[in-house]
Amino acid sequence: MSDLRCAIAGIESVNPFWLASAPPTDKYYNVVRAFEAGWGGVVWKTLGIDPPVVNVSSRYGVHHDASRGAIGINNIELISDRPLDTNLREIEQARKEWPDRVIIGSMMAVIDEQAWKELAIRIANSGVHGIELNLGCPHGMCERGMGSAIGQVPEMVEKVTRWVREAVDIPVFTKLTPNITNILWPAEAAKLGGAHAVSLINTVNSIVSVDLDVMAPNPVVGGKGTHGGYCGTAVKPIALNMVAEIARAQECAGLEISAIGGIETWRDAAEFISLGASAVQVCTAAMLYGFRIVDDMIDGLKQFMDDKGYRSIEDFRGLAVKNTVNWNELNMNFDTKAFIDPDKCIECGRCHIACEDTSHQAIEFKVDEGGKRSFTVVDDDCVGCNLCAMVCPVPDCIDMRPVDNGKPYITWPDHPLNPMKAAE
């Protein structure tokens, strides 16, 4: 039987599923309900001292798909607006009542050494397992010189991380902003500052939509709107890439990863773990579906591990890292062709339209005397781009089949068409 226990930064957890610092972890009531539902840990909503926090109404916007499913949420909510002493008392109470669950204290302060150290010490004294430095919030607080205003400057990331490391003797997680050109810059800075782990990604700076009646960005606050932080399944590809970049970088060796960004199912979690994450944090999915979603995550991950023969998280953690390479390291001679299963085809024609209008005109369309439509791939024209398989509404109707073309493995640096190679 698979064992979901894991460890990150020396902190042991009953499972890799934690709730991220956000509204779901704002108070004792929420955290206890989360633990009762089965979550392995929480990162308490970000705490601060000064300046005072006043939230607005409304706070959330949403990006829907065609069926009104929530692809992503945009929020303009700030850090905790509850008194610091109240939060610290509730953290201490939750720690005593749930000794087997993890509580990480998230914090934020202005650029002042004493402010960071004093707040870190107060949070540590509440009994948290570790401290997460919120250097990623892209709205509200950053306009006060906090959050991503710090996280976008590697020198400041290193400095703040070092301040907190000097002040407390518990694990320190540095939370990174995705609103930066190269995620390795702040990750390396966090390591230099002494971080035990990095948490990423924080929310993506965005305007989720515009109210065309009011003519203001959503959510509208008294006729005005602003940019906010975008999260949910839409940001998962961004998060996967940034996690992989850190896991691959020699400069970040030894830096553990708490992955965040669009995790909604066990599969999402497994993908992040395969790219090197030691644990994952969830927010938007819990807000959309409630705390009980962790049941499916736990059951699904156990089943996956049992099916694959993995006894522990460590058995597959990071296995995909070695196969995540730069484009120049891919096999230029690898070939694949689309195959359409006529028995599964519903004759919608979406593959043909997509290929004919926007790709390589590699799918023939015929209608027989009885009016039945058929679609056939022309191998000589098919470049294996996957577009037809992506637009097909029927699972497994179109699959991509590797072709043995007899050509050797060759990467772009060695390819004869590479001008640099030709010049040698």
Side-chain angles (χ1 to χ4, degrees):
M1 290 292 291
S2 55
D3 184 350
L4 295 192
R5 287 179 296 178
C6 65
I8 180 169
I11 301 169
E12 296 184 355
S13 181
V14 296
N15 64 53
F17 300 109
W18 296 2
L19 286 173
S21 171
T25 62
D26 187 39
K27 59 180 72 72
Y28 169 86
Y29 177 83
N30 295 36
V31 167
V32 168
R33 285 178 59 83
F35 289 159
E36 290 173 344
W39 293 88
V42 302
V43 182
W44 206 276
K45 187 171 182 182
T46 303
L47 307 176
I49 300 177
D50 186 64
V53 173
V54 179
N55 274 297
V56 297
S57 177
S58 295
R59 304 177 190 180
Y60 304 141
V62 64
H63 181 35
H64 284 129
D65 62 20
S67 60
R68 278 194 61 80
I71 299 172
I73 288 179
N74 169 287
N75 88 89
I76 57 172
E77 184 164 308
L78 304 183
I79 65 176
S80 179
D81 53 14
R82 304 169 70 235
L84 176 61
D85 287 342
T86 300
N87 277 301
L88 296 180
R89 283 197 304 270
E90 292 184 1
I91 289 174
E92 188 173 356
Q93 182 181 357
R95 278 286 294 117
K96 289 178 180 177
E97 295 175 2
W98 293 87
D100 67 331
R101 304 305 167 90
V102 176
I103 297 181
I104 305 295
S106 176
M107 65 171 290
M108 178 186 288
V110 296
I111 288 295
D112 177 79
E113 181 176 357
Q114 209 57 34
W116 279 94
K117 288 186 172 181
E118 288 179 1
L119 181 56
I121 291 170
R122 292 185 66 181
I123 295 174
N125 288 341
S126 70
V128 293
H129 293 84
I131 290 179
E132 184 176 270
L133 314 180
N134 185 343
L135 307 184
C137 187
H139 58 274
M141 305 309 293
C142 62
E143 291 147 331
R144 308 180 191 188
M146 303 160 77
S148 61
I150 298 174
Q152 291 173 330
V153 183
E155 294 81 3
M156 294 169 71
V157 172
E158 179 183 350
K159 184 180 295 186
V160 167
T161 303
R162 181 172 289 110
W163 288 343
V164 175
R165 276 300 314 273
E166 290 172 352
V168 299
D169 60 358
I170 57 177
V172 173
F173 296 65
T174 301
K175 190 172 187 179
L176 306 181
T177 176
N179 304 299
I180 194 166
T181 305
N182 187 339
I183 196 63
L184 293 181
W185 297 339
E188 291 170 18
K191 182 180 178 181
L192 288 173
H196 298 88
V198 287
S199 303
L200 73 154
I201 58 174
N202 208 311
T203 53
V204 179
N205 204 6
S206 62
I207 290 178
V208 74
S209 63
V210 174
D211 187 319
L212 295 178
D213 294 318
V214 180
M215 284 297 173
N218 284 309
V220 178
V221 181
K224 305 290 184 182
T226 185
H227 63 96
Y230 191 52
C231 55
T233 57
V235 308
K236 176 189 165 188
I238 299 170
L240 282 172
N241 175 62
M242 290 187 170
V243 166
E245 286 294 286
I246 294 172
R248 294 171 57 206
Q250 288 299 316
E251 300 86 346
C252 297
L255 193 61
E256 295 193 68
I257 300 172
S258 179
I260 317 167
I263 298 167
E264 192 169 285
T265 68
W266 70 265
R267 182 179 292 275
D268 298 329
E271 290 177 12
F272 278 103
I273 294 169
S274 76
L275 285 174
S278 296
V280 299
Q281 297 183 34
V282 179
C283 173
T284 308
M287 295 176 71
L288 293 174
Y289 307 112
F291 288 153
R292 300 304 309 185
I293 61 165
V294 76
D295 284 338
D296 290 339
M297 291 180 172
I298 290 172
D299 290 344
L301 188 58
K302 281 184 175 181
Q303 187 63 57
F304 161 76
M305 292 171 63
D306 288 342
D307 290 346
K308 296 293 185 179
Y310 301 134
R311 296 184 61 85
S312 73
I313 295 292
E314 287 300 311
D315 285 349
F316 74 98
R317 188 174 71 84
L319 287 187
V321 174
K322 65 179 183 298
N323 294 321
T324 306
V325 299
N326 293 332
W327 189 91
N328 281 349
E329 299 173 64
L330 298 175
N331 180 8
M332 307 302 296
N333 282 336
F334 179 76
D335 195 10
T336 183
K337 305 295 183 185
F339 174 80
I340 302 172
D341 187 338
D343 294 330
K344 294 181 179 178
C345 180
I346 60 173
E347 304 176 35
C348 68
R350 290 188 61 186
C351 61
H352 170 74
I353 293 170
C355 188
E356 192 71 16
D357 287 355
T358 68
S359 195
H360 292 81
Q361 298 78 50
I363 298 180
E364 289 186 340
F365 166 41
K366 295 181 180 179
V367 181
D368 66 17
E369 294 180 355
K372 180 175 175 58
R373 309 190 327 160
S374 62
F375 302 89
T376 307
V377 176
V378 180
D379 285 352
D380 289 344
D381 295 326
C382 178
V383 299
C385 69
N386 296 357
L387 178 61
C388 58
M390 288 164 47
V391 302
C392 179
V394 181
D396 302 322
C397 178
I398 301 178
D399 67 300
M400 309 303 298
R401 299 182 177 181
V403 175
D404 183 4
N405 54 22
K407 296 180 180 180
Y409 190 107
I410 187 170
T411 61
W412 179 245
D414 293 324
H415 199 282
L417 294 180
N418 181 357
M420 300 297 294
K421 179 67 175 178
E424 291 180 359

